[in-house]
Amino acid sequence: MSDGFEEGRILFRSDDLLVRQVGEIAAGGAVAVTFDCYGDWHGNAVKEGFGERHFAINARAAIHVMPRGNDWYQYPTTEAALAAVKQAVAGAARVVAYGSSMGAYAAIRFADRIAATAVLALSPQYSVDPAKAPFEKRWLQEGRTIAFRPELDGPIRSSVRPVIAYDDRSIDRRHVDRIAADIAVERLPLPFGSHPVGLALMEAGLLQPILHDILDGSFDGDAVRAGVVERLRGTSTYWAERARAQPRWLKWRAVGFARRALALAPQSPLTHHVLATSLDRVRRYTESLPLHEEVARLSDRQPGYLRPYSFARARYGDLEGALALAREVSAADPGRARNHEWEAWLLGMLGRAGEALPAIDRALAIDAEPPNYTKLRDALIAGAPLRRLHPYKRARA
C-alpha cells in the first residue's frame, strides 16, 4: 500500500473488533494506541486507523483499535482485544491512548486496561446511554439500541489523568464534568472549537505539537491554554461554530460569522454548509440553495450534508426536489431511522400516503421508540394534517 498506509500486523480480530499494529515498538520507547471514532463502518475489514497516516509519516509506532460499528465499543470481545493491546505494548515506556468523540470515550475508559501512561481525548462522551447521560441528544438512536455492558460503561476508573480537549461552550462540557466527577482530568477548553475539536486544533496548528509532546512526556498544558483562544480565532472552525451558536434573536449575525469562516476555508464543504444553513435561518433561500448544491459537490454528496439541503428545498416550497434528496439520503444511509421518517413526511405532504407508509415502517423497524414516528404513521393512515409532525427541529438537534 502507499501514502503511509500499510496493513501492518493484526494483533486481534473478532466479529466486533480489529486491532492492528503499524511500526515496531522500541524497547523503552513510545507508542500511540488509537481508538477509532464514529463513522461509516462495514465490518472489520482492514482499513486505516485513526491518525494512522500521521503516525506512519512521522515514524511513530501505533496500534489501531477499530470497531465494526458505532456501538461505543460495547462488545463481548472488547476485553480480549484490550488484553492483546496490553501485551503488545509491554516493552514501551510511554503508552498514549488517543481518540476523538466515540474513540475518546474509549481512550479514557480503557486506559488502565492497556497500561496507558497518558491519554489525549478529543471531545469525549461520558456515555451515550440515556440512563447515564440524559442530556445527550445527538446519538439517540444508538443510545437507545446499544446493549451497554456494565464492565465497559460503568463508573470510570483510571490511574491516568487524561488531557481532554473539548468545546466548553457546547454540551461536551457536561460530558467532561461527568468524567471529572469520576477521575482527575486535565482540561483543555477550546471555546467554539466545535465537535469534535480535532479540526479546530489542526487549523490552529496545535494538534500535532500537543500529540507529540504527550508522546514524549513534555506536554505543558498551561502554555497551550495561555494562547489557545487567539489561535482559535484564526480558524474557520471557530467562526463557523460561532455562527451555529447564535440564538434565534441573533440569527442575522450568524450570517456574518459564517462568511468569515468561508473566507478562511473557501474550499471546505463545512464552511459552505454553515453559510447555507445560516442563510436558511433568515429565509434567504435564493442565496442558500446554490451554496447547498456546492456543498453536495465538494463533499461528494455526503448524506449528512444532503439532509439539510433537502430541508431547505422543502422550506423553499420545492417538495419534489426535497423528496429526491431525501430518497438519495435514505439510500446512502439506510440505517438511520430519521432519514426514512423525513422521506415519509415529504411523501405524505405530496399526497402519496401509499408510498409514505413503507418509508415510516422502515423507520420504525430501525428504531421503534420515538413517538413521532408512530404519530406520523397514524396520521398518514387517517389522512390527518402532517405539518405539526414536521421533523425539522429534531433534525437540527
Side-chain angles (χ1 to χ4, degrees):
M1 298 183 185
S2 61
D3 298 326
F5 176 76
E6 59 177 277
E7 185 168 325
R9 181 158 60 96
I10 294 176
L11 303 178
F12 180 88
R13 191 170 202 161
S14 70
D15 290 342
D16 302 320
L17 291 158
L18 175 67
V19 181
R20 293 171 44 246
Q21 178 180 328
V22 180
E24 292 302 316
I25 303 172
V31 59
V33 179
T34 78
F35 294 87
D36 226 317
C37 53
Y38 191 103
D40 183 18
W41 293 101
H42 299 285
N44 60 1
V46 174
K47 60 179 288 184
E48 287 188 47
F50 181 67
E52 179 167 344
R53 292 185 184 234
H54 170 79
F55 291 114
I57 290 169
N58 287 276
R60 292 277 195 175
I63 293 174
H64 304 287
V65 184
M66 292 171 281
R68 65 170 165 79
N70 298 314
D71 305 302
W72 268 256
Y73 293 85
Q74 301 298 302
Y75 302 120
T77 58
T78 297
E79 298 266 30
L82 298 173
V85 174
K86 184 176 181 179
Q87 181 178 356
V89 303
R94 289 190 63 77
V95 179
V96 177
Y98 175 45
S100 173
S101 192
M102 183 178 81
Y105 160 93
I108 290 172
R109 285 186 170 272
F110 306 149
D112 277 5
R113 287 178 169 93
I114 63 168
T117 58
V119 174
L120 176 57
L122 311 178
S123 307
Q125 296 84 45
Y126 180 80
S127 175
V128 292
D129 182 353
K132 301 181 185 79
F135 54 85
E136 179 55 80
K137 308 297 183 185
R138 291 169 292 186
W139 300 282
L140 280 175
Q141 181 177 314
E142 290 84 354
R144 286 191 292 257
T145 56
I146 293 171
F148 290 95
R149 305 178 69 86
E151 73 275 16
L152 301 176
D153 194 62
I156 303 171
R157 298 290 179 263
S158 178
S159 58
V160 177
R161 184 186 182 198
V163 176
I164 304 180
Y166 65 103
D167 182 349
D168 62 332
R169 302 294 185 96
S170 76
I171 195 173
D172 286 348
R173 183 179 65 185
R174 300 187 67 176
H175 284 287
V176 177
D177 288 344
R178 289 293 306 276
I179 293 167
D182 282 1
I183 60 172
V185 305
E186 179 165 3
R187 298 180 186 241
L188 183 54
L190 305 171
F192 301 111
S194 192
H195 181 97
V197 294
L199 178 59
L201 285 171
M202 282 192 288
E203 279 195 280
L206 291 170
L207 182 58
Q208 291 187 19
I210 289 171
L211 179 56
H212 288 284
D213 284 351
I214 290 175
L215 277 164
D216 295 335
S218 58
F219 176 70
D220 184 345
D222 290 337
V224 174
R225 284 184 287 272
V228 73
V229 173
E230 192 59 34
R231 297 285 288 268
L232 287 172
R233 286 176 62 86
T235 69
S236 66
T237 301
Y238 175 88
W239 294 106
E241 194 59 26
R242 286 203 66 178
R244 291 199 284 198
Q246 294 306 301
R248 177 179 52 81
W249 56 90
L250 293 176
K251 58 189 176 183
W252 284 100
R253 191 165 71 169
V255 175
F257 290 153
R259 292 195 190 281
R260 292 186 71 166
L262 182 59
L264 287 165
Q267 299 303 314
S268 165
L270 176 62
T271 55
H272 282 79
H273 163 76
V274 171
L275 179 53
T277 52
S278 297
L279 289 165
D280 289 340
R281 292 180 70 190
V282 295
R283 301 183 182 276
R284 288 163 58 175
Y285 300 112
T286 55
E287 296 174 65
S288 74
L289 291 174
L291 283 165
H292 279 293
E293 186 60 38
E294 180 65 2
V295 173
R297 184 189 70 81
L298 290 169
S299 69
D300 197 24
R301 305 193 73 78
Q302 190 178 112
Y305 287 130
L306 293 182
R307 183 173 165 84
Y309 186 10
S310 180
F311 276 105
R313 279 276 170 205
R315 295 178 72 189
Y316 182 60
D318 178 14
L319 293 182
E320 290 287 358
L323 176 60
L325 288 164
R327 284 183 155 166
E328 184 177 349
V329 171
S330 293
D333 188 12
R336 182 69 49 192
R338 66 182 188 181
N339 293 338
H340 302 289
E341 177 205 21
W342 174 233
E343 181 183 346
W345 187 87
L346 288 167
L347 284 163
M349 290 295 293
L350 288 165
R352 294 156 63 177
E355 296 174 70
L357 284 169
I360 196 61
D361 284 342
R362 289 195 296 273
L364 285 162
I366 297 167
D367 186 2
E369 188 163 335
N372 279 289
Y373 294 0
T374 303
K375 289 178 182 178
L376 177 55
R377 192 180 193 280
D378 292 343
L380 288 165
I381 293 171
L386 303 179
R387 288 196 176 276
R388 63 185 177 84
L389 299 174
H390 195 303
Y392 176 70
K393 289 183 179 178
R394 291 193 308 287
R396 290 185 64 198

